Amino acid sequence: MPEILMKGLTKKFGGLTAIDSLDLHVKDGEYLTILGPTGAGKTTLLRLIAGLTAQDSGEISVNGKPLGSMPPEERQVAFLSQTYSLFPHMDVWKNTVFGPVARGWEKKKVDVIGREMLEMVHLYERKDAKPGELSGGMQQRNALARALCADAKILLLDEPLRALDARLRLDLRYELRKLVKDMGMTAIHVTHDQEEALTISDRIIMLKAGKIIQSGTPQEMFNRPVSPFIHHFIGEANFISGRMTGYNDGHGILTDELGTAYRTAGSQLEVGSKAVAGIKTEFTVLEKEDKQGVNTFSGIVERKLFLGRFTDFEVILKEGAIVHARLPSSVAHKFGEGDAVFVHYSPERLIVFPEPEKGLKSELEMV
Amino acid sequence: MPEIELRNISKRFGKVTAAAGINLKIKSGEYVTVLGPSGCGKTTLVKILSGIWEPTEGDCFIDGKKVTGIPTYERDLGYIFQNIALFPHMTVWQNANYAPIVKDWDMEKAEKETTESLELVRALQRKGFKPFELSGGEKQKVGIARALCAGSKLLILDEPLSALDARVRLDLRYEIKRLVKRKGLTAIHVTHDQEEAMSTSDRIVLMRAGRIVEVDTPENLYNRPKNLFTANFIGEANFIEGSVANNVKSAGSEPLTCLSDESVIETRHRHRLVIKNPGGAFKVGDGVVIMVRPENLSISHREKDFSLEGRILDKIFMGSYMRYRVKLITDDTVLVEVPEADDKIFNIGDKVNVKFRPKKLLVYPQPSEGLKEVLRLE
């Protein structure tokens, strides 16, 4: 039942800083997800915890005990990467109990743990199959069973679902979380899929350029992002650039270059300072008539895309700005391509940030 | 603007049948996605259409002309696959301009075509870059531009986005659809991602185990799937097994031959659900499966009509909505999704009533091979 503490962790590759004096406390039994764009340092962080790479400075401790340069096999850590690397000539059973057998455990104990793990991943009845005879999802579960057989208490998962069919992923992420919780493990799961992160995690940390830029529950990350980048990465957001021109009733007022005033959520920014405001596409409302008055703008539906539960709209406003709205499909039939519509932003949902140093466009870039 | 027809196509590799008796017509200018789980035969199908493989049986027609036996390079099609290999020593412009040069078009036409294609994928400003200076998404876009430059009107996209990050994938799928429509191409796109299929296609061909399961528009496949596998593959769904009890109006006085306006399905442990959906001919006593999407269920602490009792096992924050996993008194576990900003109303362990609105339930005959087998994803 481990808790993991990282302090001042730094790892450089040549001139590139992959992990930049990072502090992180992972609680015992927590399911933590590391989210971030390609190259953020996500995999490097897992490799440092596993001992597959040595840090340049800083310390990792498990249950208060510094790991120092302890080799991977002594860290009680299971590492599952996106390519499962099962032994192709061995059957499911032999792959699963490889670790215990190599460690010379007695046969009875090996049989018990092997069976237990395979039953947990619903694969016991396929124990005689070779990896080549299994589907991708089954291979993934076989690799998971093998990792779990190592009797580790910390599970490190590097995009464990990436190689699987999209639909299968939806089922397996639920099973994965349940398994980790049932076994009382501490899990750190790396992904670049924000929906996966929302559904599977107790807590999400957002990594960018080797630094944690926000850490919080899925709700906190979604509803109270600390930067435009996170606002746009977890969910998707529409942005407006301008200056704060006043406050009223706890709402802010942001005025853009064209002089249009927007009522925003409250903020600490000084009047006169440059700012950007963003609203999630899920909270961007489309209406047939201008019912609200405030924060309502007319436009034309340029594109409508059915996604199943949701339908995405692209609306071009009169002044030329492009706005995206994600509506439940149950109400999407009211609006068609080419229709005149009103776009409404609820002030509470329009979150204000200081203008990013390098500009909004560069802030939102994914790579 | 080519029209495609696959007539009775089968492909066998030794004992393995990768495609069996495939019949499919694709209209000129249509964007069709071939969707299905790994190993369902979707890639086999487009490899046969493009002439990379020959079918064991059957024929392909492009614009009414039989192309069986004709090599790929004479079929006039563009083929884009998962990891497009750009020429590493050439710039973006030289890569895109490759086909026009090889085909020895005149300079003006080659220049115009290349400019237009790079503009369409929004990569013209990167024309002096080498591939290693581009991100994964940009490389894929240049690869698409290169395929477009060859001037073919038929575009085959074989998992074009699978190697990219989730977010880049979202942006690019809109771009691809936009440019296919802008250029008036016929496109056949292979993917395992149901959301990608729905967002890009005019029609989806859903495959499983070498056969076509269903062909329809994204809306119809999601809202009115004709079979249970489709219902489960195209989006998450709840399934409840039961049997036809009687007709509400006739109150059981005489046997029914068909589900008329309103009927009652008896679930496990003798609970009852009312359905309002004429869904084919069922007799009283017939085994059926009810399908309902998570967003079409709702939960309440109070007792309501058309509801079943249950207990919340799990709740998950999904951004603009909450998702609850509820164990019903019928022993079925269902997913319920409600647009709810306030996540404090319902908690794990709460006893709730799950409302099944009669109009939102679809009914299917109990499959002879069993429900689990029909829904199996792998």
Side-chain angles (χ1 to χ4, degrees), chain B residues 45-58:
Chain B
L45 206 64
V46 293
K47 284 196 168 158
I48 287 173
L49 174 62
S50 56
I52 295 169
W53 290 341
E54 287 298 332
T56 314
E57 280 157 36

Side-chain angles (χ1 to χ4, degrees), chain B residues 222-361:
Chain B
Y222 188 83
N223 292 322
R224 288 172 290 281
K226 291 198 186 68
N227 71 66
L228 292 163
F229 177 75
T230 309
N232 190 43
F233 195 85
I234 219 83
E236 284 171 287
N238 296 306
F239 300 96
I240 293 169
E241 292 175 270
S243 61
V244 178
N246 63 0
N247 181 291
V248 169
K249 284 179 181 164
S250 64
S253 56
E254 50 184 287
L256 266 170
T257 51
C258 178
L259 294 180
S260 52
D261 296 348
E262 272 191 348
S263 299
V264 174
I265 305 294
E266 190 171 282
T267 65
R268 214 174 286 142
H269 305 323
R270 319 209 86 194
H271 294 286
R272 302 192 137 207
L273 284 173
V274 177
I275 59 157
K276 197 165 189 169
N277 237 314
F282 296 99
K283 293 191 295 298
V284 168
D286 276 358
V288 290
V289 178
I290 295 171
M291 189 289 275
V292 57
R293 298 270 176 222
E295 65 269 27
N296 289 330
L297 294 176
S298 53
I299 55 174
S300 162
H301 278 128
R302 279 166 303 148
E303 208 169 313
K304 287 203 171 147
D305 288 347
F306 309 120
S307 293
L308 290 176
E309 263 178 46
R311 201 171 282 282
I312 296 178
L313 296 178
D314 198 8
K315 79 176 198 184
I316 302 166
F317 173 80
M318 299 292 290
S320 60
Y321 61 99
M322 294 295 295
R323 157 185 291 203
Y324 300 92
R325 200 173 290 271
V326 182
K327 174 92 177 255
L328 299 173
I329 36 167
T330 60
D331 272 341
D332 295 289
T333 300
V334 290
L335 284 175
V336 183
E337 291 177 355
V338 285
E340 183 53 78
D342 184 0
D343 61 349
K344 304 276 189 298
I345 299 177
F346 301 104
N347 292 299
I348 294 174
D350 281 8
K351 214 172 109 184
V352 289
N353 287 287
V354 177
K355 183 168 181 180
F356 290 77
R357 281 179 292 165
K359 276 187 178 169
K360 295 292 185 186
L361 311 181

Side-chain angles (χ1 to χ4, degrees), chain A residues 10-291:
Chain A
T10 298
K11 175 68 189 177
K12 290 182 184 160
F13 294 104
L16 188 91
T17 306
I19 294 294
D20 194 355
S21 49
L22 179 136
D23 295 330
L24 177 63
H25 176 203
V26 189
K27 290 190 277 287
D28 177 26
E30 190 172 28
Y31 201 117
L32 180 82
T33 298
I34 305 175
L35 191 62
T38 304
K42 309 188 289 289
T43 299
T44 303
L45 186 56
L46 287 194
R47 293 177 59 84
L48 289 171
I49 299 167
L52 297 170
T53 303
Q55 63 264 33
D56 297 322
S57 56
E59 184 55 84
I60 305 172
S61 357
V62 173
N63 286 342
K65 197 177 135 220
L67 294 182
S69 55
M70 185 193 280
E73 61 272 21
E74 288 170 25
R75 292 192 178 200
Q76 286 213 319
V77 160
F79 191 105
L80 187 65
S81 69
Q82 46 178 300
T83 48
Y84 325 126
S85 327
L86 295 167
F87 302 110
H89 60 292
M90 291 185 185
D91 60 25
V92 166
W93 176 260
K94 286 194 175 125
N95 264 295
T96 306
V97 297
F98 183 81
V101 167
R103 287 198 189 105
W105 291 12
E106 57 170 307
K107 185 168 181 310
K108 216 172 169 184
K109 200 175 157 198
V110 170
D111 285 352
V112 169
I113 189 157
R115 178 167 187 157
E116 196 182 326
M117 293 309 146
L118 279 178
E119 277 177 349
M120 190 123 50
V121 298
H122 307 292
L123 218 55
Y124 186 68
E125 65 277 22
R126 298 300 305 272
K127 67 180 170 32
D128 299 323
K130 295 267 171 70
E133 298 163 328
L134 300 176
S135 70
M138 291 175 187
Q139 290 181 35
Q140 195 269 355
R141 296 207 300 266
N142 192 178
L144 183 61
R146 185 178 59 180
L148 297 175
C149 254
D151 203 21
K153 288 293 172 214
I154 298 172
L155 187 60
L156 305 176
L157 301 148
D158 190 5
E159 304 220 28
L161 307 177
R162 182 168 189 167
L164 303 176
D165 282 0
R167 180 62 185 82
L168 189 60
R169 275 201 296 257
L170 299 183
D171 291 349
L172 283 188
R173 62 195 185 193
Y174 170 72
E175 286 183 22
L176 194 55
R177 180 184 159 89
K178 189 166 181 303
L179 196 77
V180 166
K181 291 290 174 185
D182 287 351
M183 292 187 69
M185 299 178 91
T186 302
I188 305 181
H189 176 133
V190 158
T191 181
H192 58 83
D193 183 332
Q194 53 95 10
E195 200 187 273
E196 187 173 301
L198 282 183
T199 50
I200 211 166
S201 324
D202 296 321
R203 186 155 63 105
I204 297 172
I205 65 170
M206 185 79 190
L207 208 62
K208 198 182 177 188
K211 283 186 178 343
I212 295 175
I213 49 176
Q214 189 174 359
S215 156
T217 63
Q219 280 96 327
E220 285 163 355
M221 301 298 280
F222 188 87
N223 289 325
R224 290 190 293 282
V226 298
S227 76
F229 178 79
I230 299 175
H231 201 16
H232 195 51
F233 196 92
I234 300 179
E236 198 177 331
N238 297 300
F239 288 98
I240 302 146
S241 292
R243 274 179 201 281
M244 295 311 291
T245 49
Y247 286 91
N248 190 354
D249 274 352
H251 289 304
I253 296 165
L254 179 140
T255 306
D256 71 9
E257 284 172 6
L258 299 168
T260 310
Y262 299 82
R263 192 182 289 217
T264 68
S267 95
Q268 307 295 322
L269 288 184
E270 276 177 37
V271 171
S273 61
K274 283 189 168 180
V276 297
I279 183 165
K280 292 267 195 293
T281 58
E282 286 99 325
F283 298 132
T284 302
V285 176
L286 296 188
E287 281 161 355
K288 283 271 172 206
E289 292 155 50
D290 181 0
K291 281 190 218 150

Side-chain angles (χ1 to χ4, degrees), chain B residues 88-219:
Chain B
H89 59 295
M90 292 185 186
T91 62
V92 165
W93 176 268
Q94 287 165 334
N95 264 289
N97 200 25
Y98 185 75
I101 296 286
V102 170
K103 289 188 176 178
D104 204 17
W105 293 358
D106 70 60
M107 285 297 280
E108 203 176 320
K109 187 182 165 200
E111 188 131 327
K112 185 169 167 279
E113 191 68 37
T114 307
T115 306
E116 198 185 293
S117 298
L118 283 174
E119 239 166 22
L120 271 177
V121 300
R122 303 179 210 250
L124 190 60
Q125 68 279 23
R126 291 264 197 273
K127 67 180 180 180
F129 285 53
K130 294 267 176 70
F132 73 88
E133 296 170 291
L134 304 175
S135 70
E138 285 173 327
K139 272 188 244 178
Q140 199 68 358
K141 287 206 266 186
V142 174
I144 292 166
R146 189 176 62 181
L148 292 176
C149 269
S152 9
K153 292 292 180 199
L154 173 58
L155 197 59
I156 293 179
L157 303 130
D158 189 0
E159 299 269 7
L161 307 175
S162 298
L164 304 172
D165 276 7
R167 196 43 183 275
V168 180
R169 217 153 54 206
L170 281 184
D171 295 341
L172 211 51
R173 66 190 189 194
Y174 298 149
E175 300 264 321
I176 292 180
K177 180 178 184 176
R178 185 179 58 84
L179 68 92
V180 162
K181 290 292 173 190
R182 182 88 51 95
K183 291 206 99 178
L185 308 176
T186 304
I188 302 173
H189 177 142
V190 171
T191 181
H192 62 79
D193 185 333
Q194 70 288 346
E195 205 183 89
E196 184 176 309
M198 282 195 278
S199 63
T200 52
S201 325
D202 297 320
R203 279 195 305 158
I204 296 173
V205 177
L206 182 64
M207 289 186 70
R208 185 192 200 186
R211 292 177 188 278
I212 292 178
V213 178
E214 201 168 338
V215 183
D216 216 326
T217 61
E219 285 85 350

